[in-house]
Amino acid sequence: MPLSEHEQRMLEQMERALYAEDPKFASALEGSGLRTYTRRRVYQAVAGFLVGIALLMAGMVAKQVWLSVVGFLVMLGCAVLAVTGWRKAPKPGEQPAAGAPHSRRQGRQKRSVMDRIEQRWQKRRDEQGGQ
């Protein structure tokens, strides 16, 4: 449920007051915890993928089919983890799920631009429909 304009203004005022009162604390709250978590998850999945390749190759060298199959399954699982982690990671400038104050402000600006475009489009449709 989006915030009303009044609630958005109140939130902006509180954010500005927090920055003015304690800028060090406010900047500490801006950390991108979700982005760091997903990035770490992707790195772990890539490392696991490399371990899976090593297992696959070791199974081929030792002529152990079961070891190659385990290596392939590890590679497959890690590839799935990497792709899902990559897709869930918030892009720079996007609003993460947890919502850092700085990211919320950028998301709100994007929404207001989209709202203005939608209002203009609706106004044009209404004008053309009325003629």
Side-chain angles (χ1 to χ4, degrees):
M1 175 188 226
L3 298 175
S4 69
E5 288 182 30
H6 175 69
E7 292 170 333
Q8 288 177 355
R9 276 186 259 127
M10 293 293 292
L11 183 61
E12 286 176 0
Q13 288 175 356
M14 289 189 298
E15 286 177 355
R16 276 184 263 150
L18 178 63
Y19 279 103
E21 191 174 306
D22 194 357
K24 190 174 182 179
F25 177 68
S27 65
L29 290 178
E30 273 187 3
S32 57
L34 181 64
R35 178 189 267 167
T36 304
Y37 170 75
T38 52
R39 187 180 302 145
R40 186 179 328 129
R41 181 177 169 191
V42 169
Y43 290 150
Q44 290 172 346
V46 168
F49 189 84
L50 295 175
V51 168
I53 289 175
L55 287 172
L56 181 75
M57 298 302 273
M60 290 174 61
V61 168
K63 296 185 182 185
Q64 298 291 327
V65 176
W66 66 271
L67 190 58
S68 295
V69 170
V70 169
F72 176 76
L73 292 176
V74 168
M75 288 171 49
L76 183 65
C78 289
V80 169
L81 280 176
V83 170
T84 57
W86 192 262
R87 286 184 182 169
K88 290 180 183 178
K91 310 288 185 284
E94 263 188 4
Q95 179 176 352
H102 183 64
S103 299
R104 265 190 258 140
R105 193 177 325 118
Q106 287 177 349
R108 191 167 38 254
Q109 288 172 350
K110 286 183 181 181
R111 273 199 310 263
S112 65
V113 169
M114 287 304 294
D115 288 342
R116 287 194 307 249
I117 291 171
E118 288 176 9
Q119 288 173 355
R120 288 177 188 166
W121 178 257
Q122 187 65 34
K123 185 177 177 182
R124 288 179 188 155
R125 286 183 58 201
D126 290 343
E127 288 174 356
Q128 289 178 351
Q131 291 179 348

